Amino acid sequence: MFTVDIRSRVPIYEQLVKNITDLITSGALSPDEQLPSVRSLARDIGINPNTVQKAYQDLENKGLIYQAAGRGSFIAPGDALTQAVIEGKLKALNAPIKEAAYAGIKKVTVMELVDQIYSEEQKL
Amino acid sequence: MFTVDIRSRVPIYEQLVKNITDLITSGALSPDEQLPSVRSLARDIGINPNTVQKAYQDLENKGLIYQAAGRGSFIAPGDALTQAVIEGKLKALNAPIKEAAYAGIKKVTVMELVDQIYSEEQKL
Amino acid sequence: MFTVDIRSRVPIYEQLVKNITDLITSGALSPDEQLPSVRSLARDIGINPNTVQKAYQDLENKGLIYQAAGRGSFIAPGDALTQAVIEGKLKALNAPIKEAAYAGIKKVTVMELVDQIYSEEQKL
Amino acid sequence: MFTVDIRSRVPIYEQLVKNITDLITSGALSPDEQLPSVRSLARDIGINPNTVQKAYQDLENKGLIYQAAGRGSFIAPGDALTQAVIEGKLKALNAPIKEAAYAGIKKVTVMELVDQIYSEEQKL
DNA sequence: GTGGTCTAGACCACG
DNA sequence: GTGGTCTAGACCACT
C-alpha cells in the first residue's frame, strides 16, 4: 500500500507525504482510520523510523492526520480533512499560476486550460 | 537586465535560469545573441561565478543556450524556442489543476484563484 | 458523567483530569463525595486502569481529591476549591493576552476572538 | 543571546522557538536579519545541530524565518513577519479562552480581563 | 561555509 | 506497544 523509491532524488519523506495524501484524496483512506505505526511502516518499507516520523509530522502540520502518543496515528476527522485537502490543493496551484502570469501567458489561456481539464474530468 | 533576489529562499542559480528564460520568452533576448560571460555577469550582480556557471549549464541542458569554449555563451538558434517555454509553463499547470478537479474542488474556485493572482500580478 | 474522546490527540489521562476538575468546579461533585473506583471507572469508559490511576494520582497531587488505600477515592474537603480553579483558568489567560497586547494586536481583535469562541461554545 | 535549559521538561527545540519568537516580538531581531547558522548555534549552546534545525524548521513553518541552503537563515521580511506574529499570538489565545468558556466562566469576566490588561499595557 | 535529508540508536511519556 | 525528542554522524546540493 505504501511504497517509496529509495533511489529517487525526491526526499523519501516527501514521497510518503504525497503517497498518503493521494490515498486520502482517492478515498482509499477514510477519516479517523488508523495509519500503520511509525515503527512498523518504517520496517515494512525498509527505512528509518525518523523518516516516517518526519512524513507523519508533515501531514499533521497540514491537518491531514493527527498523532496521539501511546495510541497511534489517525486520518483527520471528516470536516477538518476536506478543508485541509482543499487548502493544500489550492496552495499547490498558486506557484504555477504565478509562473504563467509572469511569463506573459494570457489569463484567458489559463482559464481555457482549466475549463478543458474540468470538462475531461467530467467525462470520466 | 539580470537580477536575483538574495533574500529569496529559491536557489540563486534557479532564479538566474528563470530570469534568462523569461527574457528569451519575452523577446528581450534574441536567438544567437551573445550572453555576458560567466565572470562579468557574476561580478555585475555580486554573486559567485560558480553559481552563474551552474545556471548557464542548466540552460544549456534545456537547449535554451549554448556555450562555446573560448568564445562565450549564446542564445540557442531554435525557432520554436518561445513556444516551447510557454508550453512548458502550461504543462506545469496541468497536474495541479487535475489534482484540484479530482479532489472535488469546484471550477469556479480555481477560476477565482487564477483571477486573483492575475490581478495581483498586474499591480506590480 | 465521565467521558473521554478517544480521537483527541490530548492524552486520555489529561482529559480525565480536566473532566473531573470541571465537575468539581461546576458543583456536580461535592467535597468528600466518593469517586468511582479506578477499576470500575476504567471499565465504564473502556480504557486502561493504569490511565485512570494516573489521572487520580494527578488530581491528588493537585490537592483536588485524596485516595485512601482500601477505601476508595474522595473529593477533597477544601472550601475554596471552585474559586481556586476559576482563578487558575483566568490566570492561564493572562500571559497570552499580555503577549497579544505587547505584539501590538488591537483590543477589538482580541474581543472579537473571545466573542467568536463563546458563540461556538454555545452551539454545542 | 540564545539560551536553553537542558534540564527542563519542555523540549529544547520549543524553548528555542519561544526564545527567538520573543526576540522578534520585542524587536531585538529585525526583518531580514541573519540568524546564526544551524551548526554554529548548536555549538554555542552545546546541543545537536538536528535540534536547532528542528526549531528553525518550526519557525519557518510559522512564517517567522526562512532558510536558504548555502546562504543561511533569516528573519522573515517585514510584511510577512507581522502577519505571522499576529496569527501566532491569536492562535495561542484560542485554547485558554475555550478552557474558560468550557469551565463556565462568563464572557463578561473574560472581556473585563482583556480590558484590564490592555489598560495596564497602555500605561507602560 | 550554508541548509536538507537520512540513518542508527537511545530515552521518555502514554496506554 | 505507541508517538516525541534527542544525539552522533553522515552525505548531498548550493554559495
Side-chain angles (χ1 to χ4, degrees):
Chain A
M1 195 147 184
F2 302 95
T3 54
V4 291
D5 177 8
I6 219 70
R7 297 168 320 191
S8 165
R9 276 143 39 267
V10 24
I12 296 176
Y13 83 96
E14 278 189 14
Q15 293 182 46
L16 258 183
V17 167
K18 179 166 182 0
N19 209 319
I20 295 173
T21 303
D22 288 347
L23 289 174
I24 291 175
T25 309
S26 71
L29 290 175
S30 308
D32 294 311
E33 190 172 337
Q34 183 158 14
L35 288 162
S37 81
V38 169
R39 283 172 176 79
S40 68
L41 181 52
R43 195 172 355 96
D44 284 0
I45 57 185
I47 61 175
N48 191 286
N50 284 334
T51 305
V52 175
Q53 172 63 21
K54 185 163 187 175
Y56 276 20
Q57 188 59 53
D58 221 75
L59 287 163
E60 180 161 39
N61 287 340
K62 290 179 179 169
L64 293 174
I65 75 170
Y66 66 93
Q67 304 187 80
R71 280 173 285 159
S73 301
F74 306 83
I75 303 295
D79 47 351
L81 189 63
T82 54
Q83 190 191 341
V85 169
I86 292 178
E87 275 180 16
K89 301 293 181 190
L90 288 182
K91 199 172 173 187
L93 263 168
N94 241 297
I97 294 179
K98 272 185 185 160
E99 287 263 328
Y102 188 65
I105 296 175
K106 288 177 188 166
K107 190 164 74 173
V108 252
T109 312
V110 177
M111 292 295 200
E112 279 169 5
L113 181 64
V114 173
D115 200 61
Q116 180 195 332
I117 292 176
Y118 266 83
S119 301
E120 288 172 2
E121 197 74 15
Q122 212 170 13
K123 292 177 191 165
L124 302 181
Chain B
M1 192 146 182
F2 301 95
T3 55
V4 291
D5 178 10
I6 209 72
R7 288 174 11 184
S8 167
R9 75 185 311 279
V10 178
I12 293 176
Y13 88 97
E14 277 189 15
Q15 292 184 47
L16 254 185
V17 167
K18 180 182 181 338
N19 205 320
I20 295 174
T21 303
D22 290 343
L23 289 173
I24 293 173
T25 311
S26 68
L29 289 175
S30 309
D32 293 311
E33 188 173 338
Q34 182 161 14
L35 286 161
S37 78
V38 169
R39 282 184 181 77
S40 69
L41 180 52
R43 192 171 0 93
D44 284 359
I45 55 185
I47 61 176
N48 194 303
N50 288 334
T51 308
V52 175
Q53 175 55 36
K54 181 152 192 172
Y56 275 22
Q57 188 57 51
D58 224 65
L59 287 163
E60 181 162 37
N61 290 340
K62 289 180 180 171
L64 292 174
I65 73 170
Y66 62 94
Q67 303 184 72
R71 286 188 296 130
S73 301
F74 305 84
I75 303 297
D79 302 324
L81 210 56
T82 64
Q83 183 61 21
V85 173
I86 291 179
E87 276 178 13
K89 303 283 184 190
L90 287 181
K91 194 177 171 189
L93 262 168
N94 240 296
I97 295 178
K98 272 185 186 162
E99 291 244 340
Y102 188 61
I105 296 176
K106 288 177 189 164
K107 191 166 75 174
V108 257
T109 310
V110 177
M111 292 296 200
E112 280 172 5
L113 181 65
V114 172
D115 200 60
Q116 181 193 331
I117 292 175
Y118 267 83
S119 301
E120 287 172 2
E121 198 75 13
Q122 213 170 12
K123 292 177 190 164
L124 302 183
Chain C
M1 193 147 185
F2 301 95
T3 54
V4 291
D5 179 9
I6 208 71
R7 288 174 13 182
S8 168
R9 75 186 312 278
V10 178
I12 293 175
Y13 88 98
E14 277 189 15
Q15 292 185 47
L16 253 186
V17 168
K18 181 180 181 338
N19 205 321
I20 296 174
T21 303
D22 289 343
L23 289 173
I24 294 174
T25 311
S26 68
L29 290 175
S30 309
D32 293 311
E33 189 173 338
Q34 183 161 13
L35 287 163
S37 77
V38 168
R39 281 184 183 76
S40 69
L41 180 52
R43 193 171 359 94
D44 282 0
I45 55 184
I47 61 176
N48 194 302
N50 289 333
T51 307
V52 176
Q53 175 55 36
K54 180 151 194 171
Y56 276 20
Q57 189 56 52
D58 223 66
L59 287 163
E60 181 163 37
N61 291 341
K62 288 181 179 170
L64 292 174
I65 74 171
Y66 62 92
Q67 304 184 71
R71 287 188 296 129
S73 301
F74 305 84
I75 303 296
D79 302 325
L81 211 56
T82 65
Q83 184 60 20
V85 173
I86 291 181
E87 276 178 12
K89 303 283 185 190
L90 288 180
K91 194 176 169 190
L93 262 168
N94 240 297
I97 295 178
K98 271 186 185 161
E99 291 245 340
Y102 189 62
I105 296 175
K106 289 178 188 165
K107 190 165 74 174
V108 256
T109 311
V110 177
M111 292 296 199
E112 280 169 4
L113 181 64
V114 173
D115 200 61
Q116 180 194 331
I117 292 176
Y118 267 83
S119 301
E120 288 172 2
E121 198 74 15
Q122 213 171 11
K123 292 177 191 166
L124 302 182
Chain D
M1 194 146 184
F2 303 94
T3 53
V4 291
D5 177 9
I6 219 72
R7 296 169 320 192
S8 166
R9 278 145 33 269
V10 23
I12 295 176
Y13 84 96
E14 278 189 13
Q15 292 182 46
L16 257 184
V17 167
K18 179 169 182 355
N19 208 320
I20 295 174
T21 303
D22 288 347
L23 288 173
I24 291 175
T25 309
S26 71
L29 290 175
S30 308
D32 294 312
E33 189 173 338
Q34 183 158 13
L35 288 161
S37 81
V38 169
R39 283 173 177 78
S40 69
L41 181 52
R43 197 176 350 99
D44 283 0
I45 57 186
I47 61 175
N48 191 287
N50 284 335
T51 306
V52 175
Q53 172 63 19
K54 184 164 186 175
Y56 276 20
Q57 188 59 53
D58 221 75
L59 287 163
E60 180 162 38
N61 287 341
K62 290 179 179 169
L64 293 174
I65 75 170
Y66 64 93
Q67 305 188 81
R71 282 172 284 160
S73 301
F74 306 83
I75 304 294
D79 47 351
L81 189 62
T82 53
Q83 191 193 339
V85 169
I86 291 177
E87 275 179 15
K89 302 292 180 187
L90 289 182
K91 199 173 172 186
L93 263 168
N94 241 296
I97 295 179
K98 272 185 186 161
E99 287 263 328
Y102 188 64
I105 296 175
K106 288 178 187 164
K107 190 165 77 173
V108 254
T109 311
V110 177
M111 291 296 201
E112 280 169 4
L113 180 65
V114 173
D115 200 59
Q116 180 194 331
I117 292 176
Y118 266 83
S119 300
E120 288 172 3
E121 196 74 14
Q122 213 170 13
K123 293 177 189 165
L124 302 182

